[in-house]
């Protein structure tokens, strides 16, 4: 990052078209070998222009991420990258570096077929922060309860069990909660779209039943070991008490993503 | 001192991003927390240096952490500013078109007013004539509430003012669209929306309320620092504005989380004008 910004100043002074191609996929112009200035101007960009595009992509993703909605490549191309489409792989890679080096965020492709990304926080929010890193934390608390439940039950829980558990916390499926609003929507729709939870239909059930699993964002962002330590503290037990869960948490921890 | 971006800086930046604006006492507490969490070198008086390391990285991205004074409590705040889009469009991801129009109209009213406030009645009247899509009374109240919650406006007893965050972020934009209306504070030279204006028509300088309080402190016979005419306005008490001593207490961060809008200093302000 520091090298990049230092370098960009130097590069800026010579707006040469010849050294446009960065280390990335170049636009497909080979089919039409044209030497005309017009053609070249249309297909090639100065490092400065690329730099600008990277900044715009970073901004775009940051704004989208505020709502924790996954970002689709198609949207990034349509709204920001536009005519720089041929440079997309390079631009998105540079944006990823920026997220990591400036913001401490990882840009993770959670669906490589449809090219869907989320931003994952590398710096775990901590208790006792002077100002919360993630305001709106009551909802995070609710989410943690559900994630813990799923984790402790081996990775999948039926919907009915989730609601029964939440009842003990005075959160009811069909009742508007003063902090969470429409809880059913929050849990089965918002958290699901944010990729914290998966909410899937159990086949061959009549009437229809659903179950919950961890979503891709939770897998990336939530430390199972920290979760287990937290649960251990609640029950006044060592995390090792839960052998299977401990083994799973330890294996994730030793294979950094 | 290291100029290198580390996790302590990144944690600070992330907290800035999710909060939008923090007071300087919160910034100090956060600075310390971030350094301690990541084992970085910490020196209490270096918070601005710390932030400048972040700003160097943000510059190519057209973002900036900028300091500004609250027009209400006179304290310094830091806001994360997006310079790529210097106008209201930066709010556009969060609001519908007619909500943005309502915000523009509210801003017009506030900037147009002498004291930098707009009453809810006046804003509700505007909502009736929006070009994009009219807002009903209930909807307007809801949207205004959202502006306050998102820290773009402050509200006290039905009077709306521009928040510190809004002023820091939109100063450039406001100077462009209201070139003749935006004044600088005669005392601190920063942009002044809320304040007192010299009654002498040929003078008409403006001073922030906290700056008025500091400037005229202890003077029984206040005169305009520019034209020397008698200063006719009520002078607010200075004690209420000077809470810089809170600086190093991290506990104050909690009290402050509700943002500048909770400031109790406004009580005096209300009685000022008829
Ligand atoms: Zn001033
Ligand atoms: Zn005067």
């Amino acid at each position: 990052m520091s090298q990049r910004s230092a370098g960009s100043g130097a590069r800026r002074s010579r707006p040469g078209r010849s050294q446009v191609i960065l280390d990335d996929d170049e636009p497909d112009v080979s089919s039409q070998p044209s030497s005309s200035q017009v053609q070249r101007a249309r297909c090639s960009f100065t490092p400065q222009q690329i730099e600008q595009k990277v900044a715009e992509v970073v901004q775009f993703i940051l704004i989208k991420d505020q709502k924790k909605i996954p970002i689709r490549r198609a949207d990034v191309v349509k709204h920001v990258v536009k005519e720089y489409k041929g440079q997309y792989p390079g631009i998105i890679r540079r944006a990823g570096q920026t997220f990591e080096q400036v913001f401490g965020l990882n840009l993770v492709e959670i669906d490589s077929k449809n090219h869907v990304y989320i931003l994952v926080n590398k710096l775990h929010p901590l208790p006792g922060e002077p100002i919360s890193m993630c305001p709106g934390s009551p909802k995070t608390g609710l989410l943690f309860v559900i994630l813990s439940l799923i984790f402790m039950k081996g990775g999948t829980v039926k919907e009915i069990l989730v609601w029964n558990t939440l009842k003990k916390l005075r959160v009811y499926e069909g009742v508007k909660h003063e902090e969470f609003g429409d809880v059913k929507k929050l849990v089965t729709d918002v958290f699901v779209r944010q990729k914290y939870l998966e909410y899937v239909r159990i086949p061959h059930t009549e009437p229809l039943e659903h179950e919950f699993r961890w979503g891709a964002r939770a897998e990336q962002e939530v430390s199972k070991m920290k979760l287990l330590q937290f649960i251990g503290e609640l029950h006044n037990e060592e995390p090792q008490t839960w052998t299977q869960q401990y083994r799973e948490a330890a294996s994730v921890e030793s294979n950094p993503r | 001192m290291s100029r290198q971006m580390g996790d302590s800086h990144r944690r600070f930046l992330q907290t800035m991003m999710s909060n939008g604006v923090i007071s300087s006492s919160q910034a100090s507490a956060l600075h310390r927390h971030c350094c301690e969490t990541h084992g970085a070198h910490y020196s209490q008086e270096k918070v601005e240096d710390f932030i400048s390391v972040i700003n160097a990285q943000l510059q190519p991205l057209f973002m900036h952490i900028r300091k500004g004074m609250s027009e209400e409590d006179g304290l310094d705040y830091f806001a994360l500013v997006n310079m790529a889009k210097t106008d209201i469009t930066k709010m556009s991801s969060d609001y519908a078109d007619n909500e943005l129009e309502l915000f523009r109209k509210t801003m017009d009213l506030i900037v147009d007013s002498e004291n930098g406030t707009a009453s809810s009645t006046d804003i509700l009247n505007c909502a009736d004539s929006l070009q994009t899509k009219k807002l009903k009374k209930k909807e307007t109240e809801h949207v205004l509430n959202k502006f306050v919650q998102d820290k773009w406006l402050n509200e006290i007893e039905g009077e709306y003012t521009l928040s510190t965050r809004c002023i820091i972020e939109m100063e450039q934009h406001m100077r462009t669209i209201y070139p003749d209306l935006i004044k600088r504070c005669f005392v601190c030279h920063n942009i002044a929306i809320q304040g007192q204006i010299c009654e002498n028509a040929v003078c008409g300088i403006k001073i922030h309320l906290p700056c008025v309080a500091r400037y005229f402190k202890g003077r029984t016979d206040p005169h305009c620092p520019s034209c020397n005419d008698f200063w006719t306005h009520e002078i607010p008490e200075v004690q209420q504005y000077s809470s810089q001593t809170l600086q190093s207490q991290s506990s104050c961060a909690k009290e402050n989380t509700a943002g500048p809008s909770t400031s109790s200093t406004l009580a005096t302000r209300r009685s000022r004008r008829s």
Side-chain angles (χ1 to χ4, degrees):
Chain A
M1 181 64 206
S2 53
Q3 277 167 348
R4 179 163 76 83
S5 40
S8 68
R11 263 182 265 135
R12 207 159 283 164
S13 54
R14 41 183 175 123
R17 271 201 201 101
S18 51
Q19 32 115 25
V20 170
I21 314 303
L22 301 166
D23 29 356
D24 311 311
D25 306 24
E26 48 188 288
D28 182 23
V29 290
S30 51
S31 56
Q32 263 196 323
S34 164
S35 58
S36 88
Q37 285 287 333
V38 185
Q39 191 76 24
R40 283 172 129 212
R42 200 188 296 148
C43 302
S44 51
F45 306 99
T46 63
Q48 196 181 338
Q49 287 172 312
I50 297 287
E51 203 84 3
Q52 165 87 27
K53 266 301 155 194
V54 171
E56 286 174 19
V57 168
V58 168
Q59 293 245 354
F60 180 79
I61 293 177
L62 281 176
I63 289 172
K64 289 280 160 198
D65 181 66
Q66 281 173 359
K67 297 203 176 79
K68 298 272 181 207
I69 302 295
I71 297 119
R72 298 183 321 136
R73 177 169 82 175
D75 288 333
V76 179
V77 171
K78 184 174 149 207
H79 296 291
V80 194
V81 175
K82 294 174 188 165
E83 70 273 21
Y84 290 65
K85 212 171 152 198
Q87 305 281 346
Y88 182 83
I91 290 174
I92 200 73
R93 208 197 60 225
R94 300 267 293 271
Q97 285 170 355
T98 305
F99 279 123
E100 198 171 333
Q101 287 163 12
V102 182
F103 298 95
L105 299 167
N106 272 351
L107 184 66
V108 178
E109 195 174 46
I110 52 165
D111 176 345
S112 53
K113 196 166 122 242
N114 298 305
H115 303 288
V116 179
Y117 309 90
I118 56 172
L119 278 181
V120 171
N121 193 351
K122 288 173 68 189
L123 313 167
H124 296 282
L126 295 166
E129 289 167 342
I131 318 156
S132 173
M133 215 159 136
C134 37
S137 32
K139 283 181 189 165
T140 320
L142 179 70
L143 177 65
F144 259 62
V145 169
I146 301 170
L147 289 175
S148 305
L149 181 68
I150 299 170
F151 178 53
M152 299 311 281
K153 294 286 175 191
T156 322
V157 291
K158 286 196 176 174
E159 180 172 10
I160 183 76
L161 184 59
V162 170
W163 294 118
N164 284 340
T165 307
L166 294 183
K167 248 184 232 169
K168 294 174 199 155
L169 306 169
R170 296 183 190 192
V171 176
Y172 305 99
E173 182 179 356
V175 183
K176 205 172 158 134
H177 189 272
E178 61 174 65
E179 191 95 56
F180 309 133
D182 185 341
V183 188
K184 169 102 181 172
K185 186 170 180 231
L186 178 65
V187 173
T188 63
D189 181 44
V190 178
F191 286 159
V192 173
R193 271 188 292 132
Q194 295 177 339
K195 300 283 174 195
Y196 279 116
L197 293 177
E198 272 182 26
Y199 181 62
V200 285
R201 209 188 132 166
I202 308 172
H204 317 299
T205 46
E206 187 62 46
L208 205 60
E209 283 182 50
H210 288 85
E211 58 188 15
F212 286 100
R213 293 189 201 124
W214 277 37
R217 187 190 296 276
E219 294 284 356
Q220 294 278 343
E221 213 164 287
V222 179
S223 157
K224 287 181 174 159
M225 194 53 97
K226 288 233 168 69
L227 204 63
L228 204 52
Q229 280 160 1
F230 172 71
I231 293 166
E233 276 164 30
L234 283 184
H235 293 263
N236 219 354
E237 301 265 10
E238 289 297 311
Q240 285 87 338
T241 315
W242 297 276
T243 330
Q244 194 195 332
Q245 280 81 4
Y246 187 81
R247 213 179 296 139
E248 186 184 342
S251 82
V252 181
E253 217 80 349
S254 59
N255 296 309
R257 305 166 280 241
Chain B
M1 188 201 56
S2 168
R3 306 291 300 169
Q4 198 78 42
M5 188 90 172
D7 278 347
S8 56
H9 300 91
R10 295 180 187 116
R11 182 175 290 273
F12 190 97
L13 174 57
Q14 279 201 24
T15 310
M16 282 290 329
M17 287 201 298
S18 44
N19 287 274
V21 61
I22 61 176
S23 69
S24 67
S25 57
Q26 285 179 312
S28 298
L30 182 62
H31 173 214
R32 179 180 192 150
H33 167 76
C34 291
C35 289
E36 284 171 355
T37 302
H38 296 287
H41 173 74
Y42 169 71
S43 127
Q44 199 188 329
E45 65 281 9
K46 290 284 168 66
V47 61
E48 303 231 2
D49 288 340
F50 184 82
I51 289 173
S52 76
V53 172
I54 302 172
N55 276 337
Q57 301 287 316
L58 289 179
Q59 196 234 330
L61 303 166
F62 313 105
M63 294 162 87
H64 191 76
I65 297 173
R66 190 177 290 164
K67 190 161 120 174
M69 186 194 76
S70 157
E71 300 196 323
E72 307 201 336
D73 59 22
L75 298 178
D76 285 333
Y77 285 80
F78 290 96
L80 183 66
V81 178
N82 187 338
M83 295 175 296
K85 304 174 216 147
T86 47
D87 67 356
I88 291 166
T89 57
K90 84 178 72 181
M91 293 166 67
S92 60
S93 63
D94 297 327
Y95 300 100
D97 282 348
N98 54 348
E99 298 176 341
L100 288 177
E101 193 185 348
L102 181 74
F103 188 83
R104 284 194 193 94
K105 296 241 159 145
T106 305
M107 207 165 170
D108 288 346
L109 286 173
I110 290 173
V111 173
D112 237 349
S113 74
E114 193 168 301
N115 59 346
T117 68
S119 71
S120 56
T121 322
D122 290 346
I123 301 174
L124 284 167
N125 284 338
C126 279
D128 221 28
S129 59
L130 293 180
Q131 285 174 355
T132 37
K133 184 169 173 281
K134 275 182 198 169
L135 285 164
K136 297 199 190 83
K137 183 166 184 270
K138 268 262 174 294
E139 294 170 322
T140 309
E141 282 165 355
H142 177 76
V143 176
L144 285 173
N145 241 327
K146 222 161 82 174
F147 289 143
V148 173
Q149 255 174 28
D150 295 348
K151 301 179 202 164
W152 294 110
L153 296 177
N154 292 339
E155 186 264 341
I156 300 277
E157 293 164 15
E159 294 278 321
Y160 288 84
T161 56
L162 300 183
S163 70
T164 309
R165 175 194 190 177
C166 178
I167 295 172
I168 297 176
E169 285 228 29
M170 302 214 186
E171 175 172 354
Q172 230 25 65
H173 172 65
M174 290 193 285
R175 286 190 187 287
T176 316
I177 55 170
Y178 316 107
D180 305 323
L181 291 174
I182 300 291
K183 293 194 173 187
R184 282 184 186 281
C185 169
F186 193 83
V187 173
C188 74
H189 309 295
N190 289 313
I191 182 171
I193 309 292
Q194 288 182 68
Q196 298 180 346
I197 291 180
C198 177
E199 300 269 283
N200 176 355
V202 289
C203 172
I205 60 145
K206 197 167 190 173
I207 306 181
H208 289 123
L209 297 168
C211 295
V212 166
R214 281 182 206 136
Y215 187 81
F216 291 121
K217 188 188 168 205
R219 297 188 204 189
T220 45
D221 188 24
H223 285 268
C224 171
S226 175
C227 69
N228 211 31
D229 266 21
F230 181 65
W231 194 262
T232 51
H233 304 279
E234 183 184 327
I235 311 296
E237 291 279 326
V238 77
Q239 299 95 297
Q240 291 162 301
Y241 294 113
S242 65
S243 31
Q244 294 287 1
T245 43
L246 285 174
Q247 198 86 8
S248 54
Q249 305 169 7
S250 63
S251 63
C252 67
K254 273 205 189 72
E255 294 150 29
N256 277 346
T257 43
S261 57
T262 52
S263 150
S264 59
T265 55
L266 292 180
T268 46
R269 190 165 62 89
R270 288 294 151 229
S271 57
R272 179 170 38 95
R273 297 185 84 233
S274 49

